[in-house]
Amino acid sequence: MKYWLTINEQNTMILHPGAIGTPKGGCLPSSKELYQQNHHMFVAQGRTMRLFHDMLPQGKIGPALNMTSMYQATSRPADAIAAHNWETIRGWGFLDLSVWGRYNPLFWSYLQERGIEPVIEQGDMEDIQSGRPDLVAINYYSTATIAASMGDASDVTARAGDQQIMLGEQGVYRAAENPYTEKTKYGWVIDPVGLRLTLRKVCERYGLPILITENGIGAPDVLEADYTINDTYRIDFIEKHLEQIRLALTDGVDVIGYCPWSVIDVVSTHQGYGKRYGMIYVNRGEQDLKDLKRFKKKSFSWYQEVIKQNGRCIGNSDQAVTKE
């Protein structure tokens, strides 16, 4: 029997405190406090992974982070620097610490320039380095396109989606649009090919097996009068991402598992139950609990068949959906 454990997910806590919310009467922590908390989490993570290996030598453990690739808006060199800035600050800066046990130099320079670097106590880095992850887990939803900073307040713009309320940072990068990708109704970029690219980058950088712990699409699913939920858009989304995972496998990436988000409808950080991710519908509203009955969506039967056929039906959705 294989034992897998992932530790989830440092960069969401640091990047999205305003979206996650604060207790009543509380206030948002400063950037300095956030990165200090982040450092403490990595110390705890290192200790936890070391203890896990001591207690369960045959087990596999690793960090789970929201990882994604950043595209540069144009071939302009300044855009390439900006894209590299944000890809490092948002992703590699966290994952390098998890896997290699050291702060990424660009990430650390960014923290120092702003006076928000954490205090590192004696023994902290040794604890972090002792973790020795066996795998890397990633939560993947979309990519981002980045342009060079203009050096003024216009660098920061509101995002249509949730979690990351604002995009851009003065002097570092600014958000740009990608004409080659689509978006969900909530403003999230849909980019299956970006998953293949992200998998290749993570594989090339760390040389560890990769477990996809989250991937899915949020939508305002509708319960029809006959109690069906025709979420064909979810089938299309997952199928296209699975196709790219298959291509990543041919690229030599060791993908050891895929976990769609999610099996059952859960609360979205911003849209509550108006935005649904599951393959099983929960009959409730935002405030009205109704009867809380569960109904299988169209995607449920489709994904059930994908599992039965071990992905051989990918690319032939009609057949997969009709077979029971």
Side-chain angles (χ1 to χ4, degrees):
M1 178 179 293
K2 292 183 178 180
Y3 297 91
W4 290 346
L5 179 66
T6 61
I7 302 176
N8 206 27
E9 57 192 65
Q10 290 89 349
N11 57 349
T12 295
M13 299 296 290
I14 298 304
L15 294 173
H16 312 318
I20 294 172
T22 58
K24 187 176 181 180
C27 59
L28 290 175
S30 67
S31 295
K32 177 84 171 175
E33 291 170 326
L34 282 171
Y35 283 107
Q36 188 67 59
Q37 293 169 15
N38 178 71
H39 178 76
H40 291 161
M41 283 193 290
F42 276 102
V43 172
Q45 175 184 270
R47 293 176 180 176
T48 301
M49 290 196 288
R50 182 179 66 214
L51 180 62
F52 177 89
H53 285 131
D54 290 343
M55 296 178 65
L56 200 64
Q58 73 274 32
K60 304 294 183 184
I61 189 170
L65 292 93
N66 287 342
M67 293 301 300
T68 188
S69 295
M70 303 293 175
Y71 302 128
Q72 59 194 65
T74 71
S75 57
R76 188 166 60 128
D79 286 348
I81 290 292
H84 184 245
N85 282 344
W86 189 227
E87 190 170 88
T88 300
I89 295 167
R90 187 197 184 282
W92 306 130
F94 296 94
L95 202 45
D96 284 2
L97 194 54
S98 289
V99 178
W100 291 333
R102 61 168 173 77
Y103 276 94
N104 177 287
L106 175 60
F107 183 44
W108 187 254
S109 177
Y110 164 84
L111 297 175
Q112 283 187 312
E113 285 179 1
R114 286 151 182 77
I116 56 177
E117 75 277 14
V119 175
I120 301 176
E121 303 290 351
Q122 184 175 355
D124 283 0
M125 298 311 297
E126 288 78 7
D127 280 333
I128 294 173
Q129 291 162 8
S130 71
R132 296 178 294 104
D134 305 292
L135 59 94
V136 171
I138 66 171
N139 303 330
Y140 176 88
Y141 289 94
S142 61
T143 51
T145 300
I146 304 301
S149 163
M150 298 292 288
D152 56 34
S154 70
D155 286 340
V156 182
T157 56
R159 174 182 172 165
D162 59 5
Q163 285 198 349
Q164 202 168 333
I165 300 172
M166 304 298 289
L167 283 173
E169 182 175 346
Q170 187 171 334
V172 181
Y173 81 102
R174 64 190 291 127
E177 291 295 323
N178 189 338
Y180 302 104
T181 57
E182 300 177 358
K183 288 186 178 181
T184 71
K185 292 183 178 180
Y186 295 95
W188 288 51
V189 171
I190 300 175
D191 185 7
V193 177
L195 174 57
R196 181 186 182 186
L197 179 60
T198 302
L199 289 170
R200 288 164 62 151
K201 287 184 177 184
V202 173
C203 172
E204 186 177 71
R205 192 176 184 96
Y206 303 110
L208 290 172
I210 302 172
L211 174 64
I212 300 171
T213 39
E214 289 185 28
N215 176 242
I217 182 172
D221 298 332
V222 177
L223 180 64
E224 305 290 352
D226 61 354
Y227 301 107
T228 59
I229 303 97
N230 297 306
D231 59 337
T232 53
Y233 38 82
R234 183 165 290 110
I235 294 172
D236 181 68
F237 181 95
I238 294 176
E239 181 172 42
K240 287 178 178 177
H241 283 77
L242 289 176
E243 288 174 345
Q244 292 302 316
I245 294 171
R246 184 158 57 191
L247 290 171
L249 289 167
T250 68
D251 296 333
V253 180
D254 185 11
V255 182
I256 58 176
Y258 173 83
C259 304
W261 186 265
S262 59
V263 172
I264 194 168
D265 285 340
V266 294
V267 179
S268 167
T269 54
H270 269 52
Q271 285 83 17
Y273 267 90
K275 180 182 182 184
R276 298 171 182 266
Y277 280 90
M279 299 180 193
I280 300 173
Y281 186 92
V282 178
N283 189 33
R284 61 156 295 173
E286 191 62 31
Q287 303 298 330
D288 184 3
L289 295 181
K290 300 183 181 180
D291 57 14
L292 293 175
K293 285 185 177 180
R294 272 64 163 163
F295 299 95
K296 297 176 183 177
K297 302 178 187 179
K298 191 172 185 179
S299 60
F300 181 96
S301 298
W302 173 80
Y303 195 65
Q304 187 178 50
E305 192 65 29
V306 169
I307 294 171
K308 286 179 181 178
Q309 296 193 30
N310 196 28
R312 289 188 297 274
C313 59
I314 293 299
N316 190 7
S317 298
D318 293 339
Q319 179 184 2
V321 170
T322 55
K323 288 185 67 176
E324 294 290 347

